[in-house]
Structure formats: C-alpha cells, structure tokens
Amino acid sequence: MVLETKFAGSARGLLPLAVWGGVATVATLGLYRCWIKTRLRRWYWSAIQPGGHPLEYTGLGGEKFQGFLIAVVALALYIAVVNSVLMYLGFAALNSEHGGPVMAVIAIAPMVIYARYRARAYLLGRTRWRGIRFGLEAGAGGYVLRMLAGILAVGLTLGAALPYVFWDLDRYITERTWWGTAQMRMEGDWRELIPAARYLWIGLGALLLVAAAALLIDRAALFGLLIAGPLTLGGWAYFRAEGFRIMTNAKSVGVMRLRANPDTKAIVGTVFVGVTVVYGGLAVAVTLAQRGFDGRIAAISYNDMTELLVNVSAQWAILASFLAVMIAIYLFWAVLMHLVLVLPLLRLYATAVSIEGDGFAAVAQREEARFATADGFGEALDLGAGL
C-alpha cells in the first residue's frame, strides 16, 4: 500500500491569517507572536494530508509565551555570567577590540543549537497524525556537540565535509524520533549526498575567488557577488532538495518506508524567485524609504530659536512617518514571505512524500510530552520565524 500526500492549503486561505498576524504582532509590540505562530502552524499542518489524513498541531500560544519568558530569564543569566567572562578573556587573550565580540558569538552558539533541538522536540511533541503523537527523545547535549564539531569540520575543509555533517545530524535526530510506539530509522551512507553538493561547492569556490579578487582589485567583490551569490544560492537549494530526497528514502517508521521524489527544478526556481522578490524587494524598499526621509530631514534649516522649535517638531513628524512606513514595509514583507516562499516550498516538499507499507495497526499512542519551556528558547533566539 502506498499513501500519497496531498496539500490542501492555498494562498487565498493563508492571506487573511498572515495579514492579521502581522498587524496584531506590530500592534502588541511583538507579544502576539507566540499566538500567531501557533495559528499559522495549525493552518499549515492541517493542509498537509498524508494518505488523506491531515496533520494536527496541538500547541498553545499561552504555553509558548510562558516558555519564552522563562527562556529570557535563563538567557539573561547565561549572558550576564558566561558571556561576560568569555568577553573579558577574549579581550585579554586576543588583545584586540574584536576579541570580545568573537568570544561572545562563540559563547552563544551552543545555546542557539540547544534551542534548535528543543524547538524540534516541542514541535514534534505537539504534532499528531491519525490521532497518534510524534515525539523526540532527549539528546540536546549530543546534538550541540555534533553541530559544533560539524561547523568546525565544514570550516576547516572549506565545505568539503558538508555532506557527512548534514547526514550525521539528520540521522541523529531521525533515530530519536518516534511516531507513537514506532521508532524512525535511517539507513544508507552519507556518500550518497556527495553528488548533490556539487553545485554548492562550485558556488562556494566562486565566493572564495571573489574574496581573493577583492583584495587585489577594487569593486571586484560587487561584480563577483552578482555571479557567485546566485551560484551559491542555487547550489544550496539544489543540495537541500536532493538531500531531502536521498535522506527521506533512507528512512523508515516501524515496518513502513518513507519515499520522496521532489521536483528539484521547481524548488530551485521557487527559491530564486522567492529570495529575489522577498529580500531584494525589502532591501530596495528600505533603501528608498531611508534616502527619501533623510533628504527631507536634511532640507530642514533654521536661523533662530523659533524656527528651531518649529523644525524640531517637523523632524519628529518626519520620524513618525518614517516609522509608519517601516512598519508597513515589515507587514508587506511578512505576508510576502509566506505567500512567495514558505507556502510554495512547503507544498513542493510535502506532496513529494509518500508512505509505503501498512503497519498502522501495530502503532499505539504515545504518552504526551511535557515541556516546561515549550520552545521558548527558540522564540527568545528567534529561531524558525513564521513556522
């Protein structure tokens, strides 16, 4: 038996929710973020229907917000103690004004990785399919060590170790993932990912050439990035799509096998169009707005105290208008992100997956996991924005 996955969501159905979420988040100074993320997840989850049965998301905005507050306190203590010590050591050991910030980044990296694993655990713990809960075993410490070692390996090998690191991290999470009483497994070999990384390596090589040329030729970086940037972006999108196909086909849940056949060309094209429209449009809009308002402020002049007071009021009015324009740009960007990138990519990936086998009757319910901080660390460190 083969169960195909359908995607029932549409841009028309998502648009009101995305607009409302952006407006409410701005109006509440970000406090509504936890609730709108919950509503968005429920919408996306219900749209993904393996075998005609939609996924269910049971997380609550209130528990996410409570976890966020706890995480903020924990992170504040961590930064106040550990980060301060490491920044001091960085200044002293490196004897440079850049030593402190470098050590600060190194200090916060484990927390970011830890938050990523905990956010994944919460997400799975609040997801059900056919009424059966998913779950992720404890293992954040091992994931942090693997990720840090992987980042170091990728850096030292200039990207050559990426296939192994990518496979190792995915297998670590996969083999700790459960659907009810059925544990996920991952077979195969990391070397299967090597062909998928070839275009990414070409892009990274082009970036290295651009960096080298920038040291010798003025403006070489600008022109080089126009070539190396798209190459790297396309290579990364290709690697993720092909990696998804290869690693999904290596996975099983109990006696059932997972299969994936994504449309790699469509995924790469969607990434190109989406990144260009969303981030390119954002950069152009912000630049034009900033230049326009800077020009208006610079045009204000005064010769005496009366004109000074009048023009200070004018500057405040211009500043308020500038903030209003920035908020409008943010709202438009947030909605565009979902419509142009998140929704089409999720549809392409979800509909590419199928399940082979019929072992549903052997899977029993899993005990509901308790999360004292939900995915609060992920919220505090701004991980997984939108989803």
Side-chain angles (χ1 to χ4, degrees), residues 82-103:
V82 179
N83 219 26
S84 297
V85 172
L86 289 176
M87 285 188 69
Y88 171 77
L89 294 177
F91 282 119
L94 300 179
N95 194 27
S96 168
E97 63 180 1
H98 303 296
V102 170
M103 294 299 289

Side-chain angles (χ1 to χ4, degrees), residues 295-302 307 311-312 314-315 318:
R296 291 183 61 185
I297 293 175
I300 296 176
S301 61
Y302 49 85
E307 291 187 7
N311 287 304
V312 166
Q315 289 182 1
I318 292 174

Side-chain angles (χ1 to χ4, degrees), residues 35-354:
W35 283 269
I36 189 57
K37 182 177 287 189
T38 297
R39 293 185 63 182
L40 283 168
R41 283 176 176 173
R42 287 178 180 171
W43 188 90
Y44 279 116
W45 266 231
S46 65
I48 302 173
Q49 302 177 359
H53 297 273
L55 296 177
E56 300 175 70
Y57 180 70
T58 61
L60 301 174
E63 67 181 4
K64 287 170 63 62
F65 183 67
Q66 180 181 358
F68 167 75
L69 295 178
I70 296 173
V72 166
V73 174
L75 286 172
L77 292 174
Y78 176 84
I79 293 173
V81 179
V82 179
N83 219 26
S84 297
V85 172
L86 289 176
M87 285 188 69
Y88 171 77
L89 294 177
F91 282 119
L94 300 179
N95 194 27
S96 168
E97 63 180 1
H98 303 296
V102 170
M103 294 299 289
V105 171
I106 294 175
I108 201 66
M111 289 299 295
V112 173
I113 301 170
Y114 171 84
R116 179 175 180 175
Y117 189 90
R118 291 297 300 166
R120 177 69 171 263
Y122 173 77
L123 195 65
L124 286 172
R126 294 294 184 263
T127 298
R128 297 186 303 189
W129 180 56
R130 297 172 69 104
I132 304 295
R133 299 185 190 92
F134 287 86
L136 181 63
E137 294 178 357
Y143 185 76
V144 170
L145 294 177
R146 274 176 166 76
M147 177 71 83
L148 291 175
I151 292 173
L152 181 62
V154 170
L156 292 177
T157 61
L158 300 180
L162 186 63
Y164 173 78
V165 172
F166 208 77
W167 182 282
D168 182 62
L169 290 172
D170 192 70
R171 183 176 59 184
Y172 183 85
I173 290 180
T174 298
E175 296 188 345
R176 283 161 180 78
T177 299
W178 293 73
W179 178 56
T181 54
Q183 185 177 12
M184 291 191 69
R185 297 293 184 186
M186 184 167 172
E187 302 173 350
D189 191 281
W190 67 271
R191 284 181 282 265
E192 297 177 50
L193 287 181
I194 292 178
R198 60 187 184 274
Y199 298 118
L200 178 58
W201 284 333
I202 292 174
L204 293 175
L207 285 178
L208 290 175
L209 290 176
V210 169
L215 298 175
L216 304 175
I217 306 173
D218 292 339
R219 298 184 179 180
L222 177 61
F223 294 106
L225 283 175
L226 294 177
I227 299 175
L231 279 176
T232 306
L233 177 63
W236 177 247
Y238 181 86
F239 176 69
R240 290 302 304 269
E242 286 296 290
F244 176 79
R245 176 183 63 80
I246 294 168
M247 292 189 294
T248 300
N249 289 332
K251 295 174 183 177
S252 61
V253 186
V255 298
M256 297 170 286
R257 302 284 306 183
L258 299 184
R259 291 288 179 260
N261 187 28
D263 188 340
T264 302
K265 291 183 179 180
I267 291 174
V268 173
T270 300
V271 170
F272 266 117
V273 173
V275 169
T276 301
V277 172
V278 174
Y279 291 99
L282 177 66
V284 171
V286 171
T287 300
L288 292 177
Q290 183 177 2
R291 288 182 178 179
F293 281 100
D294 285 347
R296 291 183 61 185
I297 293 175
I300 296 176
S301 61
Y302 49 85
N303 299 315
D304 54 36
M305 186 58 68
T306 301
E307 291 187 7
L308 173 61
L309 294 176
V310 171
N311 287 304
V312 166
S313 299
Q315 289 182 1
W316 276 106
I318 292 174
L319 178 60
S321 300
F322 176 72
L323 291 176
V325 170
M326 288 296 102
I327 290 173
I329 291 175
Y330 163 76
L331 293 176
F332 183 73
W333 171 81
V335 173
L336 205 61
M337 171 70 76
H338 281 281
L339 297 182
V340 180
L341 265 177
V342 179
L343 178 63
L345 283 177
L346 194 59
R347 178 186 289 112
L348 287 169
Y349 276 110
T351 54
V353 178
S354 60

